[in-house]
């Protein structure tokens, strides 16, 4: 699992999709609903239980320990984790927009 | 990941909101995505490597920009204000390419080898034809945008912005669907300006409606802002002054406007104070950025504006003339000629580092291996970390080893009632290396070189007092509002210097020497 910035992933168990924003400081497994995420181009296997919880469109999820940051680009069931640690929502910043 | 992901997310999350056009009958985000996907399908069928655009502001800009990303081809907005010969030379550099051209501009780029031309209407027809988009879009490291820098001198450089730079800029500076339902942005900067590109991307991720003004006039800007209940807008300094004139004249106060950002050149303090007084309900943001940095790198926030205006502390008040503080996602340093880091208050070159910083041109990388990019802009930071931009590094005047910022002298001269506009430049000087000269566009208030010289000397050091004053009706600007100091410098440098120590005869009756030194 090569977690490079800009790489795209999807949940093996739901419609949820993700973009990697910041790479983790050490290698590990990114999972959704407890199962390793799939590369965006991969086929989702049929069946499998619907996972608990939800990933929300446009939210950023982070692992404080490694600095890993993931953007949810399509909403779906399943909570993200990295090496078993649940990721947490990164607080939105309020910047004065210039555009 | 590429820029089109931003549009896919907006189409998913902001389905009912209008993306482009008027609130009543504009196109919603999923429609815009459909058009971009179909246009991408058409683009993929062409031999073109690059997608160029030659036209006024319209929905073609976001459609073509996103379609190019979906088709993994660079998007190159072209400057339609260039003379034909320059435009054709730049267009030829985009080959093999397809140029999407406004109907009345298409003929200007016909018959260039490797360049296919499609009119705006024909392109929009392809965008509505339901073509299947390519399966794979651009990768993060692919080129998203090629911008031929307006430049104030020489052959335009093709600045390269990759998808990763632009997406990093958007993700770090705005929140997904952060716009309120009623927000609408008025975009009047030309599409070939980096602010036109970042306006598309930021509005998409924010889920904010965009209304395009085809081409700027202050009257049309004010009318559209009022009729479309515009809440957000961005202007360059010359636009703001003209907009304020119209507002005063018509008594219009744009009740729905909440947020006005300005940038792209030095804003006279008097203009911004006038704007704050005239539009007290509006939040003002001063933004500083470059094409090479994916737009904004520093902002002076609405709160900063209010604090500066209200402060009795001269250092805080002066921040109204700053560009504020760097974005949190960036590092910014002032460095000297030996690239050493300078302390607060010292004038040097502005360097930046961050994921949005490209610092690259076709065939040339200006960014260093460690990610730092020398901007070629001169500036300094105050004790509070506020950045003051003084202009291009080449414009700094070095007189007898002293670095003199033209901007500081210009600000002082603009405060004189007899001065409407002014450019301060350095002219070659055998004794001092350079000497300070001022080209003044006067108001109706009568003044003289002697009086202006005394005005500056009373407020700044005598070494900063211009030795030469020339009076002209207007100063030369390029079309995006950048003062062409270089042009003035070349014209005035061609003349022989006045003799010293006594003021000698001048070569032109309009030139007066005020100081012999």
């Amino acid at each position: 699992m090569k977690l490079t910035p800009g790489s795209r992933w999807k949940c093996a168990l739901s419609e949820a999709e993700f973009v990697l924003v910041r790479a983790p400081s050490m290698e590990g497994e990114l999972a959704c609903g407890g199962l390793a995420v799939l590369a965006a181009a991969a086929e989702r296997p049929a069946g499998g239980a619907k996972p608990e919880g939800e990933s929300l469109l446009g939210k950023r999820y982070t692992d404080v320990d490694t600095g890993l940051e993931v953007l949810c680009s399509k909403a779906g069931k399943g909570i993200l984790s990295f090496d078993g640690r649940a990721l947490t929502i990164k607080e939105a910043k309020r910047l004065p927009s210039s555009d | 990941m590429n820029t089109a992901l931003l549009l896919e997310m907006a189409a998913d999350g902001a389905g009912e909101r209008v993306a482009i056009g008027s609130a009543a009958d504009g196109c919603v985000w999923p429609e815009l995505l459909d058009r971009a996907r179909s246009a991408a399908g058409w683009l993929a069928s062409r031999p073109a490597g690059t997608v160029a655009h030659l036209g006024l502001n319209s929905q073609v800009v976001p459609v073509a920009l996103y379609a190019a990303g979906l088709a993994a081809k660079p998007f190159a907005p072209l400057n339609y204000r260039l003379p034909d010969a320059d435009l054709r030379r730049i267009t030829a550099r985009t080959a093999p390419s397809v140029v999407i051209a406004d109907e009345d501009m298409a003929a200007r780029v016909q018959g260039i080898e490797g360049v296919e031309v499609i009119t705006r209407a024909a392109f929009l027809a392809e965008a509505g034809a339901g073509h299947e988009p390519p399966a794979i879009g651009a990768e993060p490291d692919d080129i998203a945008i090629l911008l031929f820098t307006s430049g104030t001198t020489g052959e335009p450089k093709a600045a390269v912005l990759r998808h990763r730079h632009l997406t990093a800029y958007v993700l770090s500076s705005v929140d997904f669907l952060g716009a309120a339902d009623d927000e609408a942005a008025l975009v009047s900067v030309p599409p070939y300006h980096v602010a036109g590109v970042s306006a598309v991307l930021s509005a998409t991720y924010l889920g904010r409606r965009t209304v395009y003004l085809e081409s700027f006039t202050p009257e049309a800007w004010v009318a559209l802002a009022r009729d479309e209940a515009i809440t957000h807008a961005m202007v360059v300094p010359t636009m703001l002054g003209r907009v304020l004139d119209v507002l005063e004249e018509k008594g219009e106060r744009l009740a729905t406007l909440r947020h006005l950002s300005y940038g792209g050149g030095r804003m006279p303090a008097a203009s911004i104070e006038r704007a704050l007084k005239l539009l007290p309900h509006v939040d003002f943001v001063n933004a500083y950025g470059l094409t090479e940095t994916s737009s904004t790198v520093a902002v002076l926030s609405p709160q900063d504006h209010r604090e500066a205006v209200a402060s009795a502390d001269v250092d805080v008040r002066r921040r109204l003339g700053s560009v504020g503080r760097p974005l949190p996602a960036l590092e910014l340093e002032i460095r000297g000629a030996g690239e050493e880091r300078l302390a607060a208050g010292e004038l040097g070159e502005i360097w930046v580092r961050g994921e949005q910083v490209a610092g690259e041109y076709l065939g040339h990388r200006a960014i260093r291996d460690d990610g730092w990019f020398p901007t070629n802009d001169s500036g300094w930071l105050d004790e509070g970390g506020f950045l003051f931009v003084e202009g291009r590094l080449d414009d700094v005047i070095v007189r007898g080893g002293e670095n003199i910022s033209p901007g500081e002298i210009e600000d002082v001269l603009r405060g004189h009632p007899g001065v409407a506009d002014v450019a301060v430049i350095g002219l070659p000087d055998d004794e001092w290396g350079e000497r300070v000269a001022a080209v003044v566009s006067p108001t109706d208030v009568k003044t003289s070189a002697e009086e202006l010289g005394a005005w500056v000397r009373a407020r700044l050091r005598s070494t900063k007092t211009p030795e030469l004053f020339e009076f002209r009706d207007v100063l030369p600007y390029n079309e995006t509002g950048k003062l062409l100091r270089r042009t003035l410098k070349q014209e005035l440098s061609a003349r022989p210097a006045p003799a010293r120590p006594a003021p000698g005869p001048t070569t032109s009756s309009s030139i007066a020497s005020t100081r012999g030194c």
Side-chain angles (χ1 to χ4, degrees):
Chain A
M1 180 176 290
K2 200 150 185 274
L3 298 173
T4 52
S7 59
R8 297 180 70 166
W9 306 88
K10 61 186 181 191
C11 188
L13 300 167
S14 78
E15 298 293 300
E17 291 181 11
F18 308 97
V19 175
L20 201 107
V21 176
R22 207 164 302 285
S25 58
M26 58 188 80
E27 284 188 15
E29 186 183 82
L30 179 65
C32 173
L35 216 62
V37 293
L38 305 172
E43 285 284 320
R44 231 178 232 119
K50 279 278 174 252
E52 294 285 302
E54 242 173 308
S55 290
L56 303 171
L57 180 64
K59 292 290 179 198
R60 292 214 259 181
Y61 296 90
T62 180
D63 176 41
V64 181
D65 291 5
T66 59
L68 168 73
E69 200 175 306
V70 178
L71 171 71
C72 175
S73 56
K74 193 171 178 55
K77 291 276 182 195
I79 287 174
L80 287 169
S81 61
F82 187 67
D83 274 354
R85 294 184 299 277
L87 302 193
T88 52
I89 286 190
K90 190 179 173 180
E91 284 307 314
K93 66 242 155 273
R94 280 274 155 239
L95 277 178
S97 161
S98 55
D99 295 319
Chain B
M1 180 190 200
N2 58 56
T3 51
L5 177 76
L6 307 175
L7 178 57
E8 290 164 2
M9 289 175 66
D12 251 6
E16 295 306 304
R17 290 193 191 181
V18 170
I20 309 286
S22 72
D25 62 356
C27 125
V28 296
W29 292 105
E31 281 181 84
L32 185 63
L33 176 61
D34 283 346
R35 288 179 203 181
R37 287 165 60 88
S38 176
W42 179 79
L43 288 173
S45 73
R46 318 311 303 166
T50 296
V51 180
H53 174 235
L54 180 69
L56 303 177
N57 273 324
S58 77
Q59 64 156 293
V60 165
V61 178
V63 169
L65 185 155
Y66 287 125
L70 288 166
K73 299 178 183 216
F75 179 60
L78 304 176
N79 182 349
Y80 51 78
R81 288 206 176 89
L82 290 173
D84 280 349
D86 295 346
L87 176 64
R88 290 180 72 83
R89 198 160 58 237
I90 278 179
T91 306
R93 285 168 66 187
T94 66
S97 62
V98 56
V99 182
I100 305 156
D102 281 6
E103 278 66 10
D104 57 348
M105 298 184 191
R108 301 183 60 199
V109 288
Q110 291 287 6
I112 300 172
E113 195 181 339
V115 176
E116 176 185 357
V117 180
I118 183 171
T119 61
R120 169 155 108 171
F123 175 75
L124 287 174
E126 299 294 351
H131 297 298
E132 193 63 29
I136 298 179
E139 295 292 324
D141 208 35
D142 288 343
I143 296 175
I145 304 286
L146 280 179
L147 271 180
F148 291 89
T149 58
S150 59
T152 46
T153 167
E155 186 72 8
K157 288 184 284 193
V160 169
L161 295 171
R162 298 178 187 275
H163 286 276
R164 61 185 163 88
H165 300 125
L166 292 165
T167 52
Y169 169 70
V170 172
L171 294 185
S172 69
S173 63
V174 295
D175 292 325
F176 182 61
L177 302 192
D181 280 349
D182 65 341
E183 285 186 13
L186 174 52
V187 173
S188 57
V189 288
Y192 51 82
H193 191 286
V194 70
V197 172
S198 62
V200 170
L201 302 175
S202 291
T204 302
Y205 203 60
L206 284 163
R208 182 188 285 153
R209 177 166 70 98
T210 294
V211 177
Y212 279 113
L213 179 58
E214 276 203 338
S215 181
F216 179 83
T217 66
E219 294 79 13
W221 191 97
V222 169
L224 200 54
R226 183 193 57 220
D227 297 347
E228 285 291 342
I230 293 300
T231 58
H232 289 66
M234 189 268 169
V235 291
V236 300
T238 46
M239 290 178 180
L240 182 64
R242 296 170 66 195
V243 162
L244 295 177
D245 290 344
V246 172
L247 292 178
E248 267 180 353
E249 201 179 293
K250 299 201 185 306
E252 174 64 55
R253 291 300 177 265
L254 303 175
T256 58
L257 189 66
R258 288 172 211 162
H259 185 107
L260 192 59
S261 60
Y262 57 94
R266 198 179 181 84
M267 180 72 85
S271 284
I272 191 60
E273 288 190 33
R274 182 174 158 221
L276 286 164
K277 279 205 193 83
L278 206 60
L279 302 168
H281 58 291
V282 173
D283 278 347
F284 286 88
V285 167
N286 185 4
Y288 162 69
L290 298 94
T291 302
E292 297 90 331
T293 59
S294 307
S295 193
T296 304
V297 294
V299 287
L300 186 74
S301 73
Q303 188 60 26
D304 295 333
H305 278 81
R306 285 188 277 268
E307 283 173 12
V309 167
S311 181
D313 182 338
V314 63
D315 288 337
V316 176
R317 208 181 151 71
R318 185 168 53 192
R319 288 176 182 162
L320 203 55
S322 78
V323 296
R325 283 173 288 205
L327 298 183
L330 279 165
E331 295 170 89
L332 188 147
E333 291 181 354
I334 305 297
R335 296 195 191 174
E339 301 189 7
E340 75 287 5
R341 192 173 171 172
L342 299 181
E346 291 185 300
L347 182 67
E349 182 173 11
I350 301 168
W351 289 62
V352 290
R353 178 162 74 171
E355 289 174 353
Q356 72 184 69
V357 178
E360 183 188 354
Y361 311 92
L362 278 187
H364 171 63
R365 276 169 63 85
I367 194 169
R368 300 294 168 82
D369 289 342
D370 61 3
W372 282 100
F373 169 61
T375 62
N376 198 33
D377 274 345
S378 72
W380 55 282
L381 291 162
D382 75 6
E383 295 289 346
F386 285 76
L387 176 65
F388 291 75
V389 180
E390 300 292 354
R392 297 305 276 171
L393 204 61
D394 312 336
D395 296 329
V396 170
I397 302 163
V398 185
R399 183 186 182 280
E402 182 189 2
N403 283 347
I404 297 175
S405 151
E408 183 186 19
I409 304 168
E410 288 166 2
D411 284 350
V412 166
L413 281 166
R414 273 199 200 92
H416 188 282
V419 176
D421 197 6
V422 60
V424 169
I425 53 177
L427 298 181
D429 187 276
D430 289 344
E431 189 175 355
W432 296 96
E434 281 188 304
R435 65 184 188 284
V436 183
V439 184
V440 172
S441 165
T443 61
D444 296 339
V445 181
K446 199 169 157 46
T447 185
S448 66
E450 290 72 22
E451 188 180 316
L452 293 179
W455 176 270
V456 177
R457 200 171 302 115
R459 287 161 181 80
L460 298 170
R461 277 199 299 281
S462 68
T463 52
K464 295 183 177 176
T465 304
E467 291 176 50
L468 288 173
F469 283 91
E470 168 152 316
F471 294 91
R472 290 192 180 189
D473 291 344
V474 289
L475 301 182
Y477 284 90
N478 76 7
E479 82 286 345
T480 54
K482 284 192 170 61
L483 179 62
L484 298 173
R485 279 200 185 74
R486 176 66 59 98
T487 306
L488 292 170
K489 198 167 170 168
Q490 280 167 353
E491 288 173 17
L492 270 68
S493 298
R495 300 172 185 167
R500 286 204 184 91
T506 55
T507 53
S508 154
S509 61
S510 64
I511 292 186
S513 181
T514 58
R515 221 154 48 87
C517 269

